[in-house]
Amino acid sequence: MITLEADDWRASIAPTMGGSLLSLSHKGQPVLRPTPPDAIATAKVLMTAGYPMVPYANRIDHGRFTFAGVTHQLDTNGIGAPHSIHGVGWLRPWTVEAENARSCALGLRHQPNGPADPEWPFAFEAGLRFVLSPRGLTIRMSVTNLEPASAPAGLGFHTFFPRRTGETLTFRSDAGWLNRDMLPQTRETGENWNYAGGRVLGSDETDNDFSGWGGLARMAAPSGASIRLRGSRTFGVLRLYTPTGCDFFAVEPVSHLANAINRPEGYPMTVLAPGASLRGDIDIVLEEPGR
């Protein structure tokens, strides 16, 4: 485990647990959902404060897709579902490439076992850098195509926030995507998909993609600091997950729609030329009352 500190901020990272973020706190108060000790002891990445999604974000329909005329079948590493999910980064140990009191850089290299590799058939290299400052946390992500030909790629970070009483979520969007079998099917507009004026997180479950969010989301409780999440232009889609009966919710900046490799008419995955990279930054900061 790596611990970072900057003024009132503290973060902990577990490189061998999928490059996951175990905690992020400010003045001793959790900004992201803290990882329970038993989850750390048993390496349960899904119970952490957040983890990288690379080389694709969220689900691929039953793990099956066709690229450049070749059909591939991935393992369905789904979480109680028939779809492959979140890529391979969260399932692998990352290498620590640099570390100091306020930042650490991690790396991951994937070399497939042939074109039929059931985890991911394309070679890539990923980078993940956590930088803590007196303002908050910056997460810098990258994925580079190591194939001799073009290959699809995507990025995302699965960020979990503690659900506070009366929590209001605000972000603008031009549309939401209605799911069937946990996969986006149709583009929808209207008040049901509008968070621009702020909406209190109620008892309804949401697990949907939103496009046109502009890279800014704000979470506010009646008391305490507001949390502001920013994503660079790479992260053109926001995934919102608000499970019922849980003390957390997820706001996930991602570079493409779920199952985009099979539905390129929405927000598609990026096709990288040999040696090309996709990069993006995510910032998490606080807006404290009276400041």
Side-chain angles (χ1 to χ4, degrees):
M1 185 170 65
I2 295 173
T3 299
L4 308 179
E5 294 187 15
D7 291 1
D8 295 323
W9 287 87
R10 185 181 178 94
S12 58
I13 296 102
T16 59
M17 280 179 61
S20 59
L21 186 59
L22 298 181
S23 65
L24 177 66
S25 62
H26 180 260
K27 295 182 178 179
Q29 297 301 309
V31 176
L32 295 178
R33 174 187 71 173
T35 308
D38 62 333
I40 297 173
T42 54
K44 292 181 179 177
V45 176
L46 298 176
M47 297 181 68
T48 62
Y51 51 84
M53 296 181 283
V54 62
Y56 63 89
N58 291 306
R59 299 173 180 90
I60 293 178
D61 188 0
H62 288 78
R64 188 176 178 86
F65 68 93
T66 300
F67 181 78
V70 179
T71 298
H72 301 276
Q73 179 65 61
L74 305 181
D75 284 338
T76 53
N77 60 345
I79 307 158
H83 312 298
S84 58
I85 191 166
H86 300 335
V88 302
W90 68 288
L91 298 168
R92 304 272 186 86
W94 291 61
T95 300
V96 179
E97 298 181 340
E99 177 187 354
N100 59 41
R102 292 191 173 190
S103 69
C104 66
L106 311 180
L108 174 71
R109 192 179 182 94
H110 170 70
Q111 188 64 48
N113 184 20
D117 190 303
E119 294 189 325
W120 187 248
F122 308 105
F124 71 87
E125 188 172 57
L128 182 60
R129 186 176 179 87
F130 297 96
V131 181
L132 201 60
S133 75
R135 293 186 61 253
L137 178 68
T138 296
I139 303 169
R140 294 176 176 154
M141 303 186 69
S142 68
V143 58
T144 301
N145 178 21
L146 300 182
E147 289 286 326
S150 296
L155 291 172
F157 203 88
H158 205 308
T159 321
F160 294 93
F161 295 89
R163 188 182 294 208
R164 302 170 294 181
T165 303
E167 189 89 49
T168 299
L169 175 62
T170 305
F171 64 90
R172 65 181 179 86
S173 66
D174 57 21
W177 291 79
L178 188 65
N179 290 340
R180 185 173 67 245
D181 190 25
M182 297 176 286
L183 303 170
Q185 299 294 324
T186 57
R187 183 179 185 272
E188 302 285 332
T189 60
E191 284 303 308
N192 286 340
W193 303 92
N194 182 11
Y195 284 75
R199 294 176 65 172
V200 176
L201 298 180
S203 59
D204 294 338
E205 179 167 316
T206 301
D207 189 8
N208 299 89
D209 289 329
F210 293 82
S211 57
W213 70 294
L216 178 63
R218 184 172 179 267
M219 292 136 277
S223 60
S226 297
I227 305 169
R228 183 158 44 88
L229 182 149
R230 285 189 180 274
S232 60
R233 186 173 296 182
T234 292
F235 301 105
V237 174
L238 192 71
R239 182 84 178 189
L240 176 61
Y241 176 46
T242 61
T244 57
C246 295
D247 60 358
F248 67 87
F249 63 100
V251 180
E252 310 163 39
V254 294
S255 64
H256 57 84
L257 288 176
N259 197 37
I261 199 165
N262 290 310
R263 297 286 301 273
E265 70 277 9
Y267 274 70
M269 291 183 69
T270 301
V271 177
L272 294 176
S277 300
L278 178 67
R279 304 176 185 277
D281 290 359
I282 298 165
D283 295 316
I284 301 172
V285 302
L286 290 184
E287 299 171 346
E288 294 187 89
R291 295 187 60 181

